[in-house]
């Protein structure tokens, strides 16, 4: 069959793009290899879909070409998506740091996108695998499990490799390579960090302990720093703080954790020292969960500071208290790796945006070929930013088509 546009990938970006193009009068076909629509949307945000963030801006995204996302984000804002939700009578609420969620479930967002596509008379090809893509003067030919599809233009919205158990693949990157586009090396992002088993063993008993920390890694422009909740696990560290910093972390680099953010612990300990008969263990147990205080002091004693836990604050040398405070504010450790794509929320890297037009998402060297969403080297922070990039890049492309 002949179409104006074929969109590969019926996820957030693909459906948004198809809907916009269809409603502007183009004949659009939406192709996806999955039988069930939009699984990643369905499970996102604990089933309520953290669909955007009120604070979205270019600074919330990582890319080797950091200015690329500006045009699309300016062209379609969180307020624009909220207007769409209002039209479809989807209720929502705000959680901390500007994160917006559905009141009901992610199905509200999926239903909205499907309705928008139907309004644009988009043709659906679900459970449809693509075996081959050819390009000629008349556009693109897709040999699929449901027959031959011809389209003047092709939009690749197949996402990244995160959560392969839901069907995620590197298909979009393969298409980019087929047509000679460069790829920024992909890797898991928004993902738990793991540690050498022997190194982590003394801390494995802390699994389930959570607290707010300040976390940083990298240097200069590559530096990332977040104030978020940290979660100890059997194998390493997780929670929003780690997911955020994982996008900035590079193998072999350390991360620095401030376990008492916003406080001058040295000054507090020295001020409280006079006549204080409390043991250091008791003091730290007032600062943190008791299990963390136990483990921290046990590690300190193994590291050459015997008797630290039982030491009374009044008897502790000032140097010892300053050293203890510094260790707490600058806990430095080097992860051995990440939990991989199975546990990652997104993929960092992807199609090099220097080969794309920032207003239309079209490949500069292949007229009629477009890349949007997660397949592109634009990766947002945790908290709704990646969905906003999906909406914005999808709309920019849909209008340009």
């Amino acid at each position: 069959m002949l179409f104006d546009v074929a969109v590969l990938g019926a996820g957030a970006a693909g459906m948004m793009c198809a809907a916009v193009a269809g409603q502007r009068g183009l004949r659009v076909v939406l192709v996806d290899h999955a039988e069930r629509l939009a699984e990643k949307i369905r499970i996102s945000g604990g089933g309520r879909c953290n669909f955007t963030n009120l604070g979205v801006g270019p600074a919330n995204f990582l890319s080797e070409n950091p200015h690329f996302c500006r045009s699309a984000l300016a062209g379609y804002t969180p307020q624009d998506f909220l207007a769409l939700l209002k039209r479809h009578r989807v209720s929502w609420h705000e959680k901390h740091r500007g994160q917006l969620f559905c009141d009901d479930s992610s199905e509200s967002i999926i239903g909205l996108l499907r309705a928008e596509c139907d309004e644009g008379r988009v043709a659906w090809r679900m459970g449809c695998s693509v075996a081959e893509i050819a390009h000629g003067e008349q556009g693109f030919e897709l040999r699929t499990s449901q027959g031959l599809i011809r389209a003047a233009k092709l939009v690749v919205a197949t996402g990244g490799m995160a959560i392969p158990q839901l069907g995620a693949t590197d298909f979009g990157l393969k298409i980019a390579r087929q047509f000679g586009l460069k790829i920024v090396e992909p890797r898991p992002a928004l993902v738990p960090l793991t540690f050498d088993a022997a190194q982590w063993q003394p801390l494995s008993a802390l699994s389930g302990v959570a607290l707010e920390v300040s976390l940083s890694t990298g240097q200069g422009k590559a530096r990332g720093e977040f104030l978020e909740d940290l979660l100890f696990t059997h194998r390493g560290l997780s929670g929003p703080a780690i997911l955020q910093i994982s996008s900035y972390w590079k193998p072999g680099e350390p991360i620095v954790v401030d376990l008492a953010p916003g406080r001058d612990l040295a000054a507090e300990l020295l001020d409280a020292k006079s006549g204080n008969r409390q043991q250091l263990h008791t003091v730290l147990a007032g600062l943190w969960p008791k299990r963390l205080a136990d483990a921290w002091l046990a590690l300190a004693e193994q590291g050459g500071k015997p008797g630290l836990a039982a030491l009374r604050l009044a008897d502790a040398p000032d140097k010892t208290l300053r050293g203890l405070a510094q260790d707490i504010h600058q806990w430095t450790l080097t992860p051995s790796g990440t939990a991989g794509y199975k546990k990652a929320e997104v993929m960092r890297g992807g199609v090099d945006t220097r080969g794309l037009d920032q207003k239309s998402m079209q490949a500069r060297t292949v007229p009629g070929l477009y890349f949007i969403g997660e397949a592109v080297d634009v990766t947002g922070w945790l908290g709704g930013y990646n969905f906003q990039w999906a909406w914005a890049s999808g709309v920019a492309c849909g209008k340009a088509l």
Side-chain angles (χ1 to χ4, degrees):
M1 291 188 67
L2 182 63
F3 295 90
D4 296 314
V5 183
V7 179
L8 297 184
M15 282 195 282
M16 181 63 93
C17 177
V20 170
Q23 289 177 26
R24 292 165 76 91
L26 297 180
R27 292 166 300 167
V28 182
V29 60
L30 193 49
V31 182
D32 199 292
H33 68 136
E35 294 285 350
R36 197 173 185 210
L37 187 63
E39 281 291 342
K40 279 193 176 180
I41 296 178
R42 186 169 283 108
I43 68 165
S44 65
R48 291 182 183 267
C49 190
N50 179 194
F51 55 80
T52 192
N53 193 297
L54 293 174
V56 166
N60 305 119
F61 295 85
L62 292 86
S63 174
E64 291 203 358
N65 181 19
H67 298 296
F68 178 83
C69 63
R70 287 180 179 276
S71 178
L73 291 174
Y76 194 82
T77 67
Q79 285 68 35
D80 292 319
F81 193 74
L82 289 178
L84 184 63
L85 294 186
K86 184 176 181 180
R87 187 150 60 83
H88 286 266
R89 298 179 181 177
V90 175
S91 58
W92 53 273
H93 60 276
E94 180 182 353
K95 287 192 176 179
H96 73 307
R97 297 187 171 97
Q99 299 172 14
L100 304 187
F101 291 78
C102 296
D103 283 349
D104 297 323
S105 80
S106 308
E107 295 289 348
S108 304
I109 301 296
I110 298 171
L112 173 158
L113 293 168
R114 176 140 207 167
E116 286 289 306
C117 285
D118 289 345
E119 188 178 323
R121 298 185 178 182
V122 172
W124 296 87
R125 297 289 187 274
M126 296 300 295
C128 179
S129 57
V130 178
E132 186 181 349
I133 299 172
H135 181 227
E137 290 184 4
Q138 302 302 312
F140 296 85
E141 282 192 357
L142 283 62
R143 299 193 181 279
T144 81
S145 59
Q146 296 182 20
L148 186 66
I149 294 174
R150 291 188 176 93
K153 297 179 179 180
L154 177 65
V155 179
V156 181
T158 52
M161 293 185 279
I163 323 182
Q165 56 270 41
L166 293 184
T169 71
D170 63 348
F171 189 53
L173 304 186
K174 288 179 178 176
I175 297 172
R177 291 189 180 102
Q178 176 186 338
F179 289 99
L181 275 71
K182 292 182 178 178
I183 303 295
V184 174
E185 188 64 30
R187 58 186 176 89
L190 301 184
V191 62
L193 297 178
T194 58
F195 296 82
D196 174 80
Q199 176 191 1
W200 195 253
Q201 197 279 327
L203 296 170
S204 61
L206 292 177
S207 181
V209 170
L211 72 163
E212 187 178 65
V213 303
S214 176
L215 188 58
S216 64
T217 193
Q219 301 292 328
K221 290 184 178 180
R223 177 179 166 82
E225 183 171 6
F226 295 92
L227 180 68
E228 283 278 12
D229 288 343
L230 178 77
L231 174 68
F232 286 83
T233 72
H234 287 296
R235 294 185 59 208
L237 296 171
S238 189
I242 287 292
L243 299 187
Q244 293 281 37
I245 212 69
S246 70
S247 297
Y248 291 80
W249 177 74
K250 294 177 182 176
E253 285 191 351
I255 59 173
V256 180
V257 186
D258 183 347
L259 291 163
R263 304 175 68 159
D264 185 344
L265 204 54
E268 288 180 33
L269 291 173
L270 291 171
D271 286 347
K273 178 181 172 179
S274 180
N276 195 322
R277 299 176 63 81
Q278 282 188 316
Q279 295 176 332
L280 276 179
H281 173 270
T282 306
V283 174
L284 289 187
L287 173 68
W288 296 329
K290 182 177 180 297
R291 274 199 290 159
L292 178 56
D294 290 343
W296 184 266
L297 289 169
L299 275 177
E301 293 193 352
Q302 290 172 21
K305 298 176 182 176
L308 194 62
L311 189 64
R312 289 177 178 172
L313 190 59
D315 300 332
D318 290 0
K319 183 180 179 181
T320 298
L321 296 179
R322 290 193 183 97
L324 177 64
Q326 183 174 344
D327 290 345
I328 290 170
H329 284 306
Q330 297 180 10
W331 182 32
T332 302
L333 61 170
T334 302
S336 60
T338 76
Y341 284 116
K342 282 189 176 182
K343 298 292 185 181
E345 296 200 9
V346 295
M347 175 187 78
R348 183 172 175 184
V351 178
D352 192 333
T353 58
R354 286 166 289 207
L356 305 177
D357 178 82
Q358 64 178 354
K359 292 185 177 179
S360 66
M361 308 290 142
Q362 183 172 215
R364 297 184 186 279
T365 55
V366 188
L369 179 63
Y370 303 75
F371 290 85
I372 59 176
E374 192 185 342
V376 172
D377 176 36
V378 175
T379 305
W381 289 3
L382 183 73
Y385 299 97
N386 287 293
F387 271 121
Q388 187 60 36
W389 170 246
W391 315 137
S393 61
V395 169
C397 182
K399 288 181 175 179
L401 288 164

